[in-house]
Amino acid sequence: MERATAKKETLALVLSGGGARNAYHAGFLAEVARMHPRLSFDILTGASAGTINLAHMAASPKPFPETMEHLVGIWSRIEVEDVFDVNIGSLAGHFGRWGMRLVSGRRGKFKGPEGMVDAKPLWSLLNRELKTDRGPVEGIRENIERGALQAIAVAATSYTTGRSVSFVQGQDIENWERANRHSMEVDIGVEHIMASTALPFFFPAVRVGDAWYGDGGIRMNAPLAPAVHLGADRILAVSTRFPRSAEDAERNRSSGYPPPAQILSTLFNAIFLDMFDYDAIQLERINRLVRDMPKALRGSLRPVKLLVIRPSQDLGRLTNEYEPRLPRAFRFFTRGLGTAETRNNDALSLIFFQHDYLSRIMEIGRADARANSEALAEFFDGSSS
């Protein structure tokens, strides 16, 4: 009689948002790939700029280490100009139209603003790197068909309905429906990724079908939930937010009245990153309840093993070292928001696509992977590694 083979646990990767700080993910995962070259993730989920990394991983036909080194190469070459137009005429035009809208009462015939910047460069970059012709990303479909990937979920926020939407592609998907969030089965394309990364006001909203969408972190109050819905038994969740100590959290970020940059930083942290940490706490609480529950009463509930990785350095504060090297026109507008008046530049770090800064935080990601090597090895035990 043959011995039953133990079922391989389903491994998911969840990436938080963070804009330019998502380069940290690339460095961290590249080092993980070096340490665990045979590792593969069954499920990929995330929101905001984290979906750029996820889409690249989901579409790549190469082994994990080669995929991640290629992604590191992309982040190493990115400049601000590759993400949005920093030409003085373009920036002045977009900011000017916002000003005209505010003072005109919408009575003029001028074209209203669709964002503070022109994001066409990022559209072009993603289409080029994901090898699409403004259609579905064929690499994702191919990896799902050959069994290299079970599913990918990209979260966005519908401005049309006000709900969080997870665009999902995979095999045998069971859609979910909750009060303020639901899933939608699609063939993932660049428009879904751009919708997920459309930072409110800064980037233009993106039309998908009959609805307009923005950044996936706005209404995603349960960022780990898509991975659980898709069947994850283990979740590696990588955040871009530094876990400040109580002492550091009490320090003043500026003197006098807080500049707009400081207010925006607090707001964006609350929207995009606080819920990631809160959901991790909630999942651990549910795990404890399920483990204490008799198996006969669990029904479809199951404990989900979770490992959360956070940066060992404050990636937002690091922007203060590199801010003087921004393109002059763009630096002029950001300083108008008070970026030179506060030590809390988390908002600026979201759009800080400066290659030397990106290289620095990728190195931090690699170092953090090495520092967490034992925890990662224990977590991956039972997975292909």
Side-chain angles (χ1 to χ4, degrees), residues 133-152:
D133 187 21
R134 299 193 177 276
V137 180
E138 287 300 315
I140 295 177
R141 178 187 61 79
E142 291 169 0
N143 280 333
I144 290 173
E145 287 183 349
R146 68 185 181 89
L149 178 67
Q150 182 174 314
I152 176 173

Side-chain angles (χ1 to χ4, degrees), residues 2 14 43 48 82 122 141 173 187 197 236 246 275 308 329 346:
E2 293 185 4
V14 179
I43 297 169
S48 195
D82 296 315
L122 183 56
R141 178 187 61 79
I173 300 298
D187 291 328
T197 61
L236 172 63
M275 291 310 304
V308 180
D346 286 340

Side-chain angles (χ1 to χ4, degrees), residues 131-195:
K131 298 178 174 59
T132 70
D133 187 21
R134 299 193 177 276
V137 180
E138 287 300 315
I140 295 177
R141 178 187 61 79
E142 291 169 0
N143 280 333
I144 290 173
E145 287 183 349
R146 68 185 181 89
L149 178 67
Q150 182 174 314
I152 176 173
V154 173
T157 301
S158 172
Y159 290 137
T160 305
T161 66
R163 302 179 74 195
S164 175
V165 179
S166 289
F167 297 115
V168 183
Q169 184 174 355
Q171 295 279 15
D172 302 321
I173 300 298
E174 291 186 12
N175 286 314
W176 58 89
E177 184 80 24
R178 297 293 184 271
N180 290 315
R181 55 185 172 87
H182 67 104
S183 63
M184 185 185 301
E185 199 166 353
V186 301
D187 291 328
I188 300 291
V190 171
E191 69 271 22
H192 303 102
I193 302 164
M194 287 296 298

